Amino acid sequence: MIFDSYEAFRAANFTPKVCILGSGPAGTTIARKLGAAGIPVVVLEAGSREFSDDSQDFYRGSTVGDPYFDLDITRLRFLGGSSNHWAGWCRVLDKQDFEPKAWAPDTGWPISRADIEPYLNEVHDILELPDFRPDVSISDDIRWVQLIKSPAVRFGEKFADELDKSENIAVVLNTYATELAGDGRRVTGARLWSNGQDAGSFTADYFIVCTGGLENSRLLLWSNQRSNGGVVPNAAALGRYWMEHPTFEGGNAILADYSEFEVDATNEAFFSPTLAAMERLKIMNFGIRLIETPYAGIKSLVADLACTAPDMAEWVAYQLSQNLRCAAQLYVAWEQAPQASNQIELSKTDVDHAGVPRIELHWRKSEMEYRTLLEGLRLFGTTLVEKNLGRVRIADWIVNGGDYPTNEELAGHHHMGGTRMGTDVTKSVVDANSKVHGMDNLYVGGSSVFCTSGECNPTTTITALACRLGDHLSKVITV
């Protein structure tokens, strides 16, 4: 059942046991799991069926620190959430991403990759993916990895008919939970805003917050403030350890033979480091995207190399004489080390139309991020030299320790952390089952529970965690 307003939902006399806030990949996946288990659930979606400027305005905010996207364009507020601008790139966090790293404080999850693997078949069906291929060792330091470009499933489109016909799932559009109320043990209700006005309060036995990697923290911070700590009783880490994937062009490569590496349908190949290399260099995970450059671009690159890197140019000239020529651009996206100072705060001066403080995002890249970028490119270049596969030229600004460019991608629009998973209540917000520490009926879904970000796009892991949480709740909740 899909309703366009809270009033229409109330008139239907549907009584849910579970209230899910948000209809993105996490919220929709959990709702479908619970509905299939016969558990009545309502999904409150703040937006409508389609994009609107009025709805997006609720997402305006500010950023303090490094340059970042406007917060009202880096996520979407309508049915299906930010899956509506997802590019469809899929990879699950590596096994090593779940493990603590001695050189990077506050890393490590309370679960392992093995805990989500039983759900990957479901994820493949949901995201319309073929089976993942194993990584391929290129050297002791570098491995070829598969990044699948799926059909970019729009959850609001793909599952709309199923949700509308479901007897156990009600989706209520244009309805925004402005705050949760709690007594320090349970959420006792939610305050709603629907179609531009106060819609009163709502109660359910369980609440699952799936409003996104920024909004989850915003809602819980505001709710906690309003209830004097009654919603997140252990709030030391709430809003903290927020992460992104910095993303920049790292340089160029000239390869002896582009066919040495398996490429995807768009002629791109992807590489990541081994755990041993990360440990030796004390860097985080990274992904290098190798994109073939048209032949016309080689001549200027070779001329440039003759002046700036003669040893490399000599190798290139030899390869050209053998009629082996191929140039490539190198783009790098990499893991940001978790830092408590990267955090979501509530604005002290600006509120949305419902009176909820807007987000003030504090985000800065650390020395660890710069080192990961530089050493990662060096590592890839060394591997190509050792295997006589090619040569890498790292961008001057990286080698010279310059500032990050402001005219490139900046980051991946990947919002992770803020309600991270863990066992230490001073450094995490939810436990291994995504339940808020100290609360009996409050759970969080989505990438805000990520402890670390790895190097890959988060949607595949988000969906796997949502399947796991839905499965857990279907066993906990009695109808």
Side-chain angles (χ1 to χ4, degrees):
M1 299 168 281
I2 300 181
F3 301 92
D4 289 324
S5 70
Y6 182 61
E7 285 184 352
F9 165 71
R10 289 183 61 187
N13 294 317
F14 179 78
T15 305
K17 288 189 72 70
V18 180
C19 177
I20 297 175
L21 307 178
S23 68
T28 296
T29 299
I30 296 167
R32 294 178 65 242
K33 291 280 286 189
L34 295 179
I39 298 170
V41 55
V42 61
V43 179
L44 302 182
E45 167 52 51
S48 63
R49 294 174 188 264
E50 298 180 350
F51 175 93
S52 78
D53 290 332
D54 288 343
S55 183
Q56 285 299 120
D57 183 78
F58 281 83
Y59 277 172
R60 281 196 296 109
S62 60
T63 301
V64 178
D66 287 354
Y68 193 60
F69 311 109
D70 290 342
L71 299 187
D72 57 328
I73 67 167
T74 192
R75 57 242 170 88
L76 293 174
R77 193 177 187 264
F78 63 104
L79 185 63
S82 291
S83 72
N84 288 295
H85 68 187
W86 178 44
W89 290 21
C90 295
R91 181 172 171 81
V92 187
L93 286 176
D94 294 327
K95 176 184 176 182
Q96 63 200 34
D97 294 326
F98 289 89
E99 299 169 355
K101 298 171 178 61
W103 63 95
D106 299 322
T107 52
W109 293 54
I111 63 173
S112 68
R113 165 67 183 260
D115 290 305
I116 65 172
E117 285 180 352
Y119 303 98
L120 294 184
N121 284 339
E122 287 182 69
V123 172
H124 283 216
D125 290 339
I126 293 168
L127 300 181
E128 301 176 14
L129 305 177
D131 290 337
F132 283 107
R133 299 263 308 282
D135 299 343
V136 177
S137 176
I138 303 299
S139 69
D140 291 340
D141 294 331
I142 293 291
R143 57 207 166 95
W144 173 93
V145 298
Q146 183 184 34
L147 194 152
I148 298 174
K149 297 170 183 174
S150 82
V153 171
R154 309 298 183 217
F155 278 66
E157 296 176 6
K158 178 172 180 175
F159 298 111
D161 288 345
E162 176 187 330
L163 295 172
D164 201 24
K165 294 174 183 176
S166 174
E167 296 181 357
N168 293 322
I169 303 172
V171 178
V172 187
L173 303 175
N174 304 299
T175 302
Y176 167 32
T178 58
E179 66 181 86
L180 302 176
D183 59 13
R185 294 293 300 173
R186 297 182 61 82
V187 171
T188 56
R191 194 76 188 177
L192 303 185
W193 179 271
S194 184
N195 285 309
Q197 61 185 2
D198 188 335
S201 59
F202 173 80
T203 60
D205 291 347
Y206 294 86
F207 285 84
I208 310 172
V209 179
C210 300
T211 57
L214 288 164
E215 291 297 308
N216 281 356
S217 292
R218 180 192 184 193
L219 172 61
L220 293 177
L221 284 165
W222 179 233
S223 299
N224 223 34
Q225 183 175 315
R226 296 277 288 172
S227 64
N228 296 313
V231 174
V232 185
N234 301 286
L238 180 57
R240 295 184 177 272
Y241 300 100
W242 192 82
M243 300 166 291
E244 246 280 14
H245 286 133
T247 305
F248 291 89
E249 184 175 1
N252 308 96
I254 293 185
L255 306 174
D257 186 352
Y258 198 78
S259 65
E260 283 284 343
F261 307 118
E262 182 177 340
V263 297
D264 63 16
T266 58
N267 222 27
E268 297 179 358
F270 298 85
F271 305 88
S272 286
T274 62
L275 178 58
M278 293 166 57
E279 186 171 9
R280 185 179 76 250
L281 296 171
K282 293 181 171 49
I283 59 175
M284 305 303 290
N285 205 349
F286 62 84
I288 288 181
R289 176 185 172 201
L290 190 147
I291 307 173
E292 186 175 16
T293 302
Y295 174 68
I298 280 192
K299 292 183 178 179
S300 61
L301 181 57
V302 171
D304 193 24
L305 289 172
C307 297
T308 61
D311 289 344
M312 180 176 173
E314 182 179 350
W315 179 88
V316 170
Y318 172 77
Q319 296 299 334
L320 287 173
S321 71
Q322 302 300 307
N323 295 316
L324 300 172
R325 51 187 183 268
C326 180
Q329 293 171 290
L330 302 177
Y331 284 85
V332 189
W334 67 99
E335 178 179 21
Q336 183 171 22
Q339 296 184 87
S341 58
N342 283 330
Q343 62 181 314
I344 296 157
E345 295 184 0
L346 299 176
S347 172
K348 295 178 175 59
T349 58
D350 197 8
V351 300
D352 66 21
H353 297 307
V356 178
R358 296 187 186 276
I359 286 174
E360 185 178 275
L361 175 64
H362 293 251
W363 182 61
R364 287 181 173 85
K365 297 181 286 296
S366 71
E367 185 274 335
M368 173 79 82
E369 276 77 70
Y370 209 106
R371 189 166 77 248
T372 296
L373 171 62
L374 175 59
E375 296 300 332
L377 285 164
R378 285 174 172 168
L379 200 67
F380 185 64
T382 299
T383 290
L384 294 190
V385 170
E386 289 176 348
K387 300 295 181 179
N388 202 34
L389 296 172
R391 298 295 187 269
V392 166
R393 181 191 178 207
I394 302 174
D396 291 342
W397 68 268
I398 301 173
V399 175
N400 298 330
D403 293 335
Y404 290 95
T406 58
N407 60 346
E408 293 191 20
E409 289 184 59
L410 299 181
H413 298 279
H414 303 156
H415 309 147
M416 299 160 287
T419 68
R420 68 199 310 252
M421 186 184 288
T423 56
D424 183 346
V425 298
T426 67
K427 295 185 176 182
S428 63
V429 176
V430 303
D431 66 15
N433 290 316
S434 293
K435 184 165 72 71
V436 173
H437 294 308
M439 297 294 283
D440 295 333
N441 68 339
L442 178 59
Y443 293 78
V444 180
S447 54
S448 69
V449 307
F450 282 26
C451 306
T452 51
S453 65
E455 56 81 17
C456 63
N457 304 56
T459 302
T460 314
T461 305
I462 289 172
T463 308
L465 289 170
C467 288
R468 179 175 179 265
L469 177 54
D471 188 53
H472 170 75
L473 288 173
S474 66
K475 297 171 183 175
V476 170
I477 299 171
T478 56
V479 180

